[in-house]
Amino acid sequence: MSNTEVIALLDEIERHPDAVRVRERTHELLDGAERIVDVGCGGGRAVHELGARAIGVDHDPATIAVARARYPAARFQVADAHALPFPDASLDGYRAERVIHTLDAPRALAEARRVLRPGGRLVLAGHDWDLFAVDSGLPEVTRRVVHARADQIADPRAARKAHHLLREAGFTDVATEILSTVITGPEGLPVVLNLAKDQEGEEIAAWCDDQRRRAAEGRLFLAVPVFVTSGQVIG
């Protein structure tokens, strides 16, 4: 999937009311933080919403270019989540949404703890790639599609592990809550079809055709639990 396609897919997801609710919850959990880094900021929507107190970082220069073009008043920087360009104890908040599954989580969390000051808060939001619920006339194929897609991800179950990973990284006051994303409109079709990425065969083609028909007939159904995990640095 090209960078343009990835950004378009993220835009579709981020506009959904359930995704807005997740994003707003992460902002609430960072209430009072005066300097926040949004790691894996993508197209920059959350940085724009957080305002002048936020800076967005992403490892991909093309993605940062898109974010800067969309939100010229906001701050963005190309950076690696495992080596952030901030001094020790210099930030009040750390936010990462739909990112932790792409990272070396222990290294990234150690880096987050380094840049957060005592009292600083970290908030992660993400889904578990094994837990996509898709209605289909081919349920056995759905199981294979979902798990095969999970196997393509660096750490597909990072979101369910985040609670204990934060504790192991030295964060306190760790809490996890679950918010759901339910998509029943045709806008969910690109998300569903993305689950079949790089999978081939007659059954996969039939499964994708089934999803296209469901979307056209108003019968598409996708549900995804989103784990929101937060923690605090104690000096």
Side-chain angles (χ1 to χ4, degrees):
M1 187 177 289
S2 69
N3 179 268
T4 300
E5 291 171 327
V6 170
I7 292 291
L9 182 59
L10 288 175
D11 284 343
E12 198 66 62
I13 293 169
E14 289 176 351
R15 283 191 291 265
H16 191 275
D18 289 343
V20 173
R21 185 161 54 97
V22 170
R23 206 160 55 249
E24 289 176 344
R25 180 57 179 150
T26 67
H27 299 347
E28 289 172 2
L29 289 167
L30 290 170
D31 186 43
E34 296 180 358
R35 191 172 188 220
I36 301 167
V37 61
D38 186 37
V39 174
C41 63
R45 192 184 303 268
V47 175
H48 169 69
E49 292 172 349
L50 287 165
R53 60 193 180 128
I55 180 169
V57 303
D58 198 287
H59 76 283
D60 181 45
T63 299
I64 289 295
V66 169
R68 285 172 173 161
R70 287 182 173 181
Y71 305 109
R75 294 180 297 157
F76 299 99
Q77 186 170 346
V78 177
D80 183 348
H82 307 99
L84 293 170
F86 307 110
D88 294 357
S90 60
L91 303 179
D92 305 298
Y94 177 110
R95 180 187 182 277
E97 183 178 356
R98 294 190 301 274
V99 173
I100 193 67
H101 62 272
T102 70
L103 305 175
D104 180 332
R107 282 182 59 208
L109 292 175
E111 182 67 353
R113 195 173 187 281
R114 179 187 71 78
V115 299
L116 285 170
R117 65 167 179 78
R121 292 193 63 80
L122 172 146
V123 181
L124 306 177
H127 54 270
D128 189 304
W129 286 80
D130 274 331
L131 298 181
F132 280 81
V134 182
D135 191 21
S136 169
L138 302 165
E140 292 296 333
V141 181
T142 300
R143 292 188 188 97
R144 295 205 302 273
V145 165
V146 170
H147 293 308
R149 183 70 177 98
D151 288 343
Q152 298 171 11
I153 304 302
D155 192 352
R157 289 165 288 281
R160 75 173 71 171
K161 298 188 294 185
H163 190 97
H164 298 298
L165 288 172
L166 261 66
R167 294 176 65 184
E168 291 166 4
F171 288 87
T172 62
D173 192 25
V174 177
T176 298
E177 55 193 87
I178 299 177
L179 302 175
S180 62
T181 295
V182 178
I183 304 176
T184 59
E187 72 278 4
L189 183 60
V191 182
V192 172
L193 294 181
N194 183 56
L195 293 175
K197 178 184 176 183
D198 297 332
Q199 300 179 51
E200 299 178 351
E202 292 182 4
E203 287 189 324
I204 301 299
W207 186 85
C208 291
D209 287 342
D210 177 53
Q211 293 303 315
R212 293 186 183 97
R213 282 193 297 272
R214 287 171 178 271
E217 296 167 1
R219 296 190 301 115
L220 183 141
F221 182 89
L222 168 67
V224 186
V226 179
F227 297 83
V228 179
T229 301
S230 59
Q232 187 170 13
V233 174
I234 299 297

